[in-house]
Coordinates of all heavy atoms in Angstrom, one line a residue:
S69 N 156.3 13.4 -5.4 CA 157.4 14.1 -4.8 C 156.8 14.9 -3.6 O 155.8 15.5 -3.7 CB 158.1 15.0 -5.7 OG 158.6 14.3 -6.8
I70 N 157.6 14.8 -2.5 CA 157.2 15.6 -1.3 C 158.4 16.5 -1.0 O 159.5 16.1 -0.8 CB 156.9 14.7 -0.1 CG1 155.7 13.8 -0.4 CG2 156.7 15.5 1.2 CD1 155.4 12.8 0.7
V71 N 158.1 17.8 -1.0 CA 159.1 18.8 -0.6 C 159.1 18.9 1.0 O 158.1 19.4 1.5 CB 158.9 20.2 -1.2 CG1 159.9 21.2 -0.8 CG2 158.8 20.1 -2.7
E72 N 160.1 18.4 1.6 CA 160.2 18.4 3.1 C 161.6 18.5 3.6 O 162.5 17.8 3.1 CB 159.6 17.1 3.6 CG 159.5 16.9 5.1 CD 158.7 18.0 5.7 OE1 157.5 18.0 5.6 OE2 159.3 18.9 6.4
L73 N 161.9 19.5 4.4 CA 163.2 19.7 5.0 C 163.4 19.0 6.3 O 164.6 18.7 6.7 CB 163.5 21.2 5.1 CG 163.3 22.1 3.9 CD1 163.7 23.5 4.2 CD2 164.3 21.5 2.8
S74 N 162.4 18.7 7.0 CA 162.5 18.1 8.3 C 162.7 16.6 8.2 O 161.9 15.8 7.7 CB 161.2 18.3 9.2 OG 161.2 17.5 10.3
G75 N 163.8 16.1 8.7 CA 164.1 14.7 8.7 C 163.1 13.9 9.5 O 162.7 12.8 9.2
E76 N 162.7 14.4 10.7 CA 161.7 13.8 11.5 C 160.4 13.6 10.8 O 159.8 12.5 10.8 CB 161.5 14.6 12.8 CG 160.4 13.9 13.7 CD 160.2 14.8 15.0 OE1 160.9 15.8 15.1 OE2 159.3 14.4 15.7
L77 N 159.9 14.6 10.1 CA 158.7 14.5 9.3 C 158.8 13.6 8.1 O 157.8 12.9 7.8 CB 158.2 15.9 8.9 CG 157.6 16.8 10.0 CD1 157.2 18.2 9.4 CD2 156.4 16.2 10.6
R78 N 160.0 13.6 7.5 CA 160.2 12.6 6.4 C 159.9 11.2 6.9 O 159.3 10.4 6.2 CB 161.6 12.8 5.8 CG 161.8 14.0 4.9 CD 163.1 13.9 4.2 NE 163.3 15.1 3.4 CZ 164.3 15.2 2.4 NH1 165.0 14.1 2.2 NH2 164.4 16.2 1.7
E79 N 160.5 10.9 8.0 CA 160.4 9.5 8.5 C 158.9 9.2 8.9 O 158.4 8.1 8.6 CB 161.3 9.3 9.7 CG 162.7 9.1 9.4 CD 163.0 8.0 8.3 OE1 162.5 6.9 8.6 OE2 163.6 8.3 7.3
R80 N 158.2 10.2 9.4 CA 156.8 10.0 9.8 C 156.0 9.8 8.5 O 155.1 8.9 8.5 CB 156.3 11.2 10.6 CG 154.9 11.0 11.2 CD 154.5 12.2 12.0 NE 155.4 12.6 13.0 CZ 155.3 13.7 13.7 NH1 154.2 14.4 13.6 NH2 156.2 14.0 14.6
Q81 N 156.3 10.6 7.5 CA 155.6 10.4 6.2 C 155.9 9.1 5.6 O 155.0 8.4 5.1 CB 156.0 11.6 5.3 CG 155.5 12.9 5.7 CD 156.3 14.1 5.2 OE1 157.2 13.9 4.3 NE2 156.1 15.3 5.7
R82 N 157.1 8.7 5.6 CA 157.5 7.4 5.0 C 156.8 6.2 5.7 O 156.2 5.3 5.0 CB 159.0 7.2 5.2 CG 159.6 6.1 4.3 CD 161.0 5.8 4.6 NE 161.8 7.0 4.7 CZ 162.3 7.6 3.6 NH1 162.2 7.1 2.4 NH2 163.1 8.7 3.8
E83 N 156.7 6.3 7.0 CA 156.0 5.2 7.8 C 154.5 5.2 7.5 O 154.0 4.1 7.3 CB 156.2 5.5 9.3 CG 157.7 5.2 9.8 CD 157.9 5.6 11.2 OE1 156.9 6.1 11.8 OE2 159.0 5.5 11.7
T84 N 153.9 6.4 7.4 CA 152.5 6.4 7.1 C 152.2 5.9 5.7 O 151.3 5.1 5.5 CB 152.0 7.9 7.2 OG1 152.2 8.4 8.5 CG2 150.5 8.0 6.8
I85 N 153.0 6.3 4.7 CA 152.8 5.9 3.3 C 153.0 4.4 3.2 O 152.2 3.7 2.5 CB 153.6 6.7 2.4 CG1 153.2 8.1 2.4 CG2 153.6 6.1 1.0 CD1 154.1 9.1 1.7
E86 N 154.0 3.9 3.8 CA 154.3 2.4 3.7 C 153.2 1.6 4.4 O 152.9 0.5 3.9 CB 155.7 2.1 4.3 CG 156.8 2.6 3.5 CD 158.2 2.4 4.2 OE1 158.2 2.0 5.3 OE2 159.2 2.6 3.5
A87 N 152.6 2.2 5.4 CA 151.5 1.5 6.1 C 150.2 1.6 5.4 O 149.4 0.6 5.3 CB 151.4 2.0 7.5
Q88 N 149.9 2.7 4.8 CA 148.6 2.9 4.2 C 148.5 2.8 2.7 O 147.4 2.6 2.2 CB 148.0 4.3 4.7 CG 147.9 4.5 6.2 CD 147.3 5.8 6.6 OE1 146.8 6.6 5.8 NE2 147.4 6.2 7.9
A89 N 149.6 3.0 2.0 CA 149.7 2.8 0.6 C 150.9 2.1 0.2 O 151.8 2.5 -0.6 CB 149.6 4.2 -0.1
P90 N 151.1 0.8 0.7 CA 152.4 0.1 0.5 C 152.7 -0.2 -1.0 O 153.8 -0.2 -1.4 CB 152.1 -1.2 1.3 CG 150.6 -1.3 1.4 CD 150.1 0.1 1.5
A91 N 151.7 -0.4 -1.8 CA 151.9 -0.8 -3.2 C 152.5 0.4 -4.0 O 153.2 0.1 -5.0 CB 150.6 -1.2 -3.9
L92 N 152.4 1.6 -3.5 CA 152.9 2.8 -4.3 C 154.0 3.5 -3.5 O 154.4 4.6 -4.0 CB 151.7 3.7 -4.6 CG 150.6 3.2 -5.5 CD1 149.4 4.1 -5.6 CD2 151.2 3.0 -6.9
A93 N 154.4 3.0 -2.4 CA 155.4 3.7 -1.6 C 156.7 3.9 -2.4 O 157.4 4.9 -2.2 CB 155.7 2.9 -0.3
N94 N 157.0 3.0 -3.3 CA 158.3 3.1 -4.1 C 158.2 4.2 -5.1 O 159.2 4.6 -5.8 CB 158.6 1.8 -4.8 CG 157.5 1.4 -5.8 OD1 156.4 1.9 -5.8 ND2 157.9 0.4 -6.6
R95 N 157.0 4.8 -5.3 CA 156.9 6.0 -6.2 C 157.2 7.3 -5.6 O 157.3 8.3 -6.2 CB 155.5 6.0 -6.8 CG 155.0 4.8 -7.6 CD 155.5 4.8 -9.0 NE 154.8 3.7 -9.7 CZ 153.8 3.9 -10.5 NH1 153.2 5.1 -10.6 NH2 153.2 2.9 -11.2
V96 N 157.3 7.3 -4.3 CA 157.5 8.5 -3.5 C 158.9 8.9 -3.3 O 159.8 8.0 -3.1 CB 156.8 8.4 -2.1 CG1 157.0 9.7 -1.3 CG2 155.3 8.0 -2.2
R97 N 159.2 10.1 -3.5 CA 160.6 10.6 -3.3 C 160.5 12.0 -2.6 O 159.5 12.7 -2.7 CB 161.3 10.8 -4.6 CG 160.7 11.9 -5.6 CD 161.6 12.1 -6.8 NE 161.0 13.1 -7.7 CZ 161.7 13.7 -8.7 NH1 162.9 13.3 -8.9 NH2 161.1 14.6 -9.4
W98 N 161.5 12.3 -1.8 CA 161.6 13.5 -1.0 C 162.6 14.5 -1.6 O 163.7 14.1 -2.0 CB 161.9 13.2 0.4 CG 160.7 12.7 1.2 CD1 159.9 13.4 2.0 CD2 160.2 11.3 1.2 NE1 158.9 12.6 2.5 CE2 159.1 11.3 2.1 CE3 160.6 10.1 0.6 CZ2 158.3 10.2 2.3 CZ3 159.9 9.0 0.8 CH2 158.7 9.0 1.7
L99 N 162.2 15.7 -1.6 CA 163.1 16.8 -2.2 C 163.5 17.8 -1.1 O 162.7 18.1 -0.3 CB 162.3 17.5 -3.3 CG 161.8 16.7 -4.5 CD1 161.0 17.6 -5.5 CD2 162.9 15.9 -5.2
D100 N 164.7 18.3 -1.2 CA 165.2 19.3 -0.3 C 164.8 20.7 -0.8 O 164.8 21.7 -0.1 CB 166.7 19.2 -0.1 CG 167.1 17.9 0.5 OD1 166.4 17.5 1.5 OD2 168.1 17.3 0.1
A101 N 164.6 20.8 -2.1 CA 164.4 22.1 -2.8 C 163.5 21.9 -4.0 O 163.3 20.8 -4.5 CB 165.7 22.8 -3.2
L102 N 162.9 23.0 -4.5 CA 162.1 22.9 -5.7 C 162.9 22.6 -6.9 O 164.0 23.2 -7.0 CB 161.3 24.2 -5.9 CG 160.2 24.6 -4.9 CD1 159.7 26.0 -5.2 CD2 159.1 23.6 -5.0
P103 N 162.4 21.8 -7.8 CA 163.2 21.7 -9.1 C 163.0 23.0 -9.9 O 162.1 23.8 -9.7 CB 162.4 20.5 -9.8 CG 161.1 20.6 -9.2 CD 161.2 21.0 -7.8
E104 N 163.9 23.1 -10.9 CA 163.8 24.3 -11.8 C 162.5 24.3 -12.6 O 161.9 25.4 -12.8 CB 165.0 24.4 -12.7 CG 165.1 25.7 -13.5 CD 166.4 25.8 -14.3 OE1 167.3 24.9 -14.0 OE2 166.5 26.7 -15.1
H105 N 162.1 23.1 -13.0 CA 160.9 23.0 -13.8 C 160.1 21.8 -13.3 O 160.7 20.8 -12.9 CB 161.2 22.8 -15.3 CG 162.0 24.0 -15.9 ND1 161.5 25.3 -16.0 CD2 163.3 24.0 -16.3 CE1 162.5 26.0 -16.6 NE2 163.5 25.3 -16.7
F106 N 158.8 21.8 -13.5 CA 158.0 20.7 -13.1 C 156.8 20.6 -14.0 O 156.1 21.6 -14.3 CB 157.5 20.9 -11.6 CG 156.7 19.7 -11.1 CD1 157.3 18.5 -10.8 CD2 155.3 19.9 -11.0 CE1 156.5 17.5 -10.3 CE2 154.5 18.8 -10.5 CZ 155.1 17.6 -10.2
E107 N 156.5 19.4 -14.4 CA 155.3 19.1 -15.2 C 154.4 18.1 -14.4 O 154.9 17.0 -14.1 CB 155.7 18.5 -16.6 CG 154.5 18.2 -17.4 CD 154.9 17.9 -18.9 OE1 156.0 18.2 -19.3 OE2 154.1 17.2 -19.5
G108 N 153.2 18.5 -14.1 CA 152.4 17.6 -13.3 C 151.4 18.4 -12.4 O 151.0 19.5 -12.8
V109 N 151.1 17.8 -11.3 CA 150.1 18.4 -10.3 C 150.8 18.8 -9.0 O 151.6 18.0 -8.5 CB 148.9 17.5 -10.1 CG1 148.0 18.1 -9.0 CG2 148.2 17.1 -11.4
V110 N 150.6 20.0 -8.6 CA 151.2 20.5 -7.3 C 150.0 20.6 -6.3 O 149.0 21.2 -6.6 CB 151.9 21.9 -7.5 CG1 152.4 22.4 -6.2 CG2 153.0 21.7 -8.5
V111 N 150.2 20.2 -5.1 CA 149.2 20.3 -4.0 C 149.9 20.9 -2.8 O 150.9 20.5 -2.3 CB 148.7 18.9 -3.7 CG1 147.7 19.0 -2.5 CG2 148.0 18.2 -4.9
G112 N 149.2 21.9 -2.3 CA 149.6 22.5 -1.0 C 148.4 22.7 -0.1 O 147.6 23.5 -0.3
N113 N 148.4 21.8 0.9 CA 147.3 21.8 1.8 C 147.7 22.4 3.2 O 148.6 21.9 3.8 CB 146.8 20.3 2.1 CG 145.6 20.3 3.0 OD1 144.7 21.1 2.9 ND2 145.6 19.4 4.0
E114 N 147.1 23.6 3.5 CA 147.4 24.4 4.7 C 148.9 24.7 4.7 O 149.6 24.4 5.7 CB 147.0 23.6 5.9 CG 145.5 23.6 6.1 CD 145.1 23.2 7.5 OE1 145.2 24.0 8.4 OE2 144.6 22.0 7.6
V115 N 149.4 25.2 3.6 CA 150.8 25.6 3.5 C 150.9 27.1 3.6 O 151.8 27.7 4.3 CB 151.4 25.1 2.2 CG1 152.8 25.7 1.9 CG2 151.5 23.6 2.1
L116 N 150.1 27.8 2.9 CA 150.1 29.3 2.8 C 149.9 29.9 4.2 O 150.5 31.0 4.5 CB 149.1 29.8 1.8 CG 149.3 29.3 0.3 CD1 148.2 29.9 -0.6 CD2 150.7 29.7 -0.2
D117 N 149.0 29.4 5.0 CA 148.7 30.0 6.3 C 149.8 29.9 7.2 O 149.9 30.7 8.2 CB 147.5 29.3 6.9 CG 147.8 27.9 7.3 OD1 147.7 27.0 6.5 OD2 148.1 27.7 8.5
A118 N 150.8 29.0 7.0 CA 151.9 28.8 7.9 C 153.1 29.7 7.6 O 154.1 29.7 8.3 CB 152.3 27.3 8.0
M119 N 153.0 30.4 6.5 CA 154.2 31.3 6.1 C 154.2 32.6 6.9 O 153.1 33.1 7.3 CB 154.1 31.5 4.6 CG 154.3 30.2 3.8 SD 154.6 30.5 2.1 CE 154.9 28.8 1.6

Side-chain angles (χ1 to χ4, degrees):
S69 301
I70 297 176
V71 181
E72 181 60 71
L73 302 181
S74 168
E76 179 183 353
L77 285 177
R78 283 190 181 196
E79 284 307 307
R80 190 180 305 177
Q81 293 157 9
R82 193 188 314 275
E83 292 172 0
T84 300
I85 293 168
E86 289 178 351
Q88 299 183 14
L92 294 171
N94 62 346
R95 301 279 191 95
V96 181
R97 63 173 181 170
W98 280 264
L99 304 179
D100 296 316
L102 291 175
E104 186 175 350
H105 303 292
F106 181 76
E107 181 173 335
V109 177
V110 177
V111 177
N113 182 42
E114 290 192 72
V115 172
L116 300 177
D117 70 274
M119 295 192 172

